[in-house]
């Protein structure tokens, strides 16, 4: 059965998924790059960067698993790119160049319409202007029975959490404090949303926590 999942989402020990003062130069906010130090060295990430080297082990296992059985992605506009407001032109096609690592349809939440972008490797970016329910409906059709991955950022995940649409989350807690920024769980009652099953695996660089809704 298709699941709506958050996977390999990095978070600080004090609950922030991005630092303060996000900008083109610091898209993850001040200190936000520290959240991903468990992921960047992995063989999975290095392969995404078209490199052969990379670490194996627990972190890489979780990185690899995060892409398994994914039939569609949903992401916020900030995760697609740094541009705000109306699209000035069609030049920006995402952070990842001509061959993004998604390889499936990706539905980008935005207030500004744009024609779909077909990329190499099977990725097509669709721009959804009528809310998360519409994006989820479109993603389910595109996924054709596979899972839907909610890719972030924090605001997007919070919207899907608060609406009760997320079935499972894999959070990678990095051993850093940010102190400010975008907090993932502020005002969110996870037990009330049905998350009761917790599994934790530790690596040298992160605590990998799986949260699932109880049966």
């Amino acid at each position: 059965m298709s699941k709506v999942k958050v996977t390999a989402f990095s978070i600080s020990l004090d609950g922030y998924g991005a630092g303060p003062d996000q900008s083109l130069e610091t898209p993850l906010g001040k200190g936000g790059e520290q959240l991903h130090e468990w992921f960047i060295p992995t063989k999975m990430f290095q392969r995404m960067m078209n490199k052969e080297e990379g670490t194996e082990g627990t972190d890489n296992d979780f990185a690899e698993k995060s892409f398994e059985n994914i039939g569609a992605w949903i992401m916020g506009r900030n995760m697609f790119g740094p541009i705000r407001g109306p699209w000035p032109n069609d030049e920006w096609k995402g952070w990842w160049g001509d061959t993004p690592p998604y390889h499936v349809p990706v539905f980008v939440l935005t207030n500004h319409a744009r024609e779909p972008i077909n990329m190499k490797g099977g990725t097509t970016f669709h721009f959804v202007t009528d809310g998360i329910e519409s994006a989820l409906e479109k993603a389910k059709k595109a996924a054709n029975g596979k899972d839907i991955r909610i890719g972030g950022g924090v605001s997007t995940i919070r919207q899907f959490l608060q609406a009760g649409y997320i079935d499972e989350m894999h959070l990678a807690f990095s051993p850093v404090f940010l102190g400010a920024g975008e907090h993932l769980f502020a005002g969110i009652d996870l037990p009330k949303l049905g998350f009761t099953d917790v599994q934790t695996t530790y690596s040298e660089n992160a605590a990998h926590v799986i949260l699932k809704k109880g049966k």
Side-chain angles (χ1 to χ4, degrees):
M1 182 178 175
S2 177
K3 292 182 179 179
V4 180
K5 303 167 72 173
V6 172
T7 62
F9 190 79
S10 301
I11 188 172
S12 68
L13 290 177
D14 49 350
Y16 293 96
D21 303 322
Q22 296 176 58
S23 66
L24 177 60
E25 293 75 24
T26 54
L28 301 173
K30 291 180 179 177
E33 70 282 349
Q34 299 176 79
L35 301 178
H36 304 276
E37 290 181 358
W38 71 272
F39 182 57
I40 292 172
T42 63
K43 203 166 189 175
M44 177 69 195
F45 180 81
Q46 294 302 315
R47 189 164 65 244
M48 290 163 62
M49 302 299 291
N50 297 314
K51 297 180 180 179
E52 296 297 326
E53 67 271 13
T55 60
E56 298 183 351
T58 299
D59 290 331
N60 187 63
D61 290 345
F62 275 100
E64 296 273 5
K65 189 174 178 60
S66 71
F67 281 85
E68 290 179 359
N69 198 46
I70 302 299
W73 284 61
I74 298 173
M75 65 176 62
R77 182 165 168 179
N78 289 5
M79 188 172 173
F80 175 73
I83 301 167
R84 304 293 182 266
W87 303 101
N89 51 53
D90 293 333
E91 291 181 6
W92 182 264
K93 294 180 172 62
W95 296 105
W96 293 94
D98 292 335
T99 311
Y102 309 108
H103 309 300
V104 294
V106 178
F107 297 88
V108 181
L109 299 168
T110 177
N111 292 319
H112 301 277
R114 183 174 174 178
E115 290 299 311
I117 307 173
N118 294 311
M119 307 292 286
K120 294 179 182 177
T123 300
T124 300
F125 291 110
H126 301 272
F127 299 89
V128 181
T129 59
D130 50 352
I132 64 171
E133 287 82 7
S134 175
L136 184 57
E137 181 181 352
K138 290 177 172 65
K140 284 183 175 179
K141 288 180 180 178
N144 196 27
K146 290 187 175 182
D147 295 334
I148 295 127
R149 180 170 173 176
I150 309 299
V154 172
S155 174
T156 298
I157 293 174
R158 285 177 56 84
Q159 289 180 65
F160 278 90
L161 264 179
Q162 290 168 325
Y165 293 142
I166 294 177
D167 301 304
E168 182 178 318
M169 292 188 288
H170 160 223
L171 304 175
F173 282 85
S174 295
V176 297
F177 294 105
L178 293 185
E182 288 192 81
H183 202 283
L184 184 60
F185 293 129
I188 291 178
D189 188 335
L190 290 175
K192 188 175 181 179
L193 289 172
F195 290 96
T196 57
D197 186 3
V198 181
Q199 304 165 28
T200 305
T201 303
Y202 297 96
S203 72
E204 291 184 3
N205 302 306
H208 297 278
V209 179
I210 306 294
L211 305 174
K212 296 181 181 180
K213 286 185 175 179
K215 295 180 180 179

